[in-house]
Amino acid sequence: MKNPIIQIKNLTKTFETREREIDVIRGVDLDIYPGEFILIFGPSGCGKTTLLNLILGLEAPTGGQIIVNGQDLAELEGDALSQFRRLVFGTIFQSAVWLKSFNILENVALPLYLDGADPREAREIALNCLTKTHMQDFLNSRPYELSGGEQQRIGLARALVNDSPIIVADEPTGNLDSQSGHNLMATLRELHRLKKTIILVTHNLSYLVHADRKVAMKDGLILGHFTGNAMPKMIREILEEEE
């Protein structure tokens, strides 16, 4: 068996307020393998987005360990952590942020510009990524001229420009209609066939069929994993329990 591309060991995250401490992640263990399409789901507030932020190094854990592509994230900070994140992860979130003065091609090429790439080469790479997400006909448009679904596919193209091995998507279809969401999921499946590791966080259970493995979360804990399209009865019953 391949070695995991992400190893999460006894991970915890506690947020402190004036009145109390809130345990958001409570002892999570999870291995994710190269080329796997993994879907993390659960009710709102279960900790799935916090888990994703910890994997990306956007939040520091309270305890435990995260190893990504052989690198312990605790050993990195500041610019080194940011550079590692750009090289290893391509990210797409529920709402993309664009530079209004840039057209689509320039917005997609922006991460390469920031890394000092030759502008002509950066634009060629951006065009290739837009082609992969079927958005190559909109190069000179402005992102805000397009629909939400089209903007998300542009965001996915931007996530690809560094050829990162891991694509992370946090509720990327949350603001989309059903057809746009279907189109985005189809594009993610195409990238999966190109051997990208896909991590999708969602509350939409209709997307379970797209993933190799499904991870159910509730109250900061992982309830279990499954690989088929039918959710195991035990997990379904726990998720449906009254709080």
Side-chain angles (χ1 to χ4, degrees), residues 3-228:
N3 292 325
I5 194 168
I6 298 176
Q7 295 173 279
I8 301 171
K9 303 178 182 180
N10 195 28
L11 191 67
T12 63
K13 180 63 178 180
T14 300
F15 291 105
E16 296 184 5
T17 69
R18 286 185 177 182
E19 294 79 18
R20 60 186 177 125
E21 294 183 345
I22 303 172
D23 297 323
V24 180
I25 301 295
R26 303 189 292 150
V28 164
D29 294 290
L30 180 65
D31 287 341
I32 299 173
Y33 292 89
E36 187 173 28
F37 191 147
I38 187 165
L39 185 151
I40 302 172
F41 72 100
S44 296
C46 72
K48 54 188 185 292
T49 292
T50 299
L51 176 59
L52 202 62
N53 288 338
L54 292 167
I55 291 171
L56 289 168
L58 296 173
E59 297 271 2
T62 304
Q65 186 179 36
I66 306 174
I67 300 172
V68 179
N69 216 24
Q71 173 66 58
D72 188 335
L73 293 190
E75 298 173 352
L76 299 174
E77 59 183 16
D79 290 344
L81 178 57
S82 297
Q83 178 69 8
F84 180 80
R85 185 186 302 120
R86 286 201 302 272
L87 291 175
V88 175
F89 293 107
T91 55
I92 176 172
F93 297 104
Q94 187 168 345
S95 297
V97 177
W98 309 109
L99 290 182
K100 293 183 178 181
S101 60
F102 278 18
N103 63 25
I104 284 171
L105 183 65
E106 292 166 332
N107 266 285
V108 172
L110 181 60
L112 298 174
Y113 294 160
L114 295 175
D115 282 339
D118 175 77
R120 179 180 294 180
E121 181 180 353
R123 288 191 292 270
E124 289 177 357
I125 294 171
L127 174 57
N128 181 53
C129 293
L130 284 163
T131 301
K132 288 180 180 178
T133 61
H134 309 290
M135 293 300 295
Q136 68 273 16
D137 293 336
F138 299 88
L139 303 182
N140 295 315
S141 301
R142 305 291 174 179
Y144 292 109
E145 296 173 351
L146 305 183
S147 70
E150 290 167 338
Q151 287 189 43
Q152 285 297 65
R153 287 162 71 184
I154 297 165
L156 185 52
R158 185 166 62 184
L160 296 174
V161 293
N162 283 323
D163 196 24
S164 304
I166 306 170
I167 303 298
V168 173
D170 185 12
E171 298 282 8
T173 63
N175 293 328
L176 305 183
D177 60 71
S178 58
Q179 184 58 51
S180 296
H182 173 78
N183 292 340
L184 184 64
M185 292 303 301
T187 305
L188 286 172
R189 288 200 310 272
E190 291 177 19
L191 296 174
H192 180 227
R193 286 192 286 270
L194 295 175
K195 308 302 182 184
K196 296 289 185 182
T197 302
I198 310 290
I199 305 172
L200 172 66
V201 166
T202 185
H203 66 274
N204 190 330
L205 300 185
S206 68
Y207 296 146
L208 292 176
V209 297
H210 299 296
D212 297 326
R213 183 159 53 109
K214 299 83 173 172
V215 178
M217 288 190 69
K218 185 177 182 180
D219 298 332
L221 297 168
I222 288 181
L223 302 179
H225 311 225
F226 60 99
T227 57

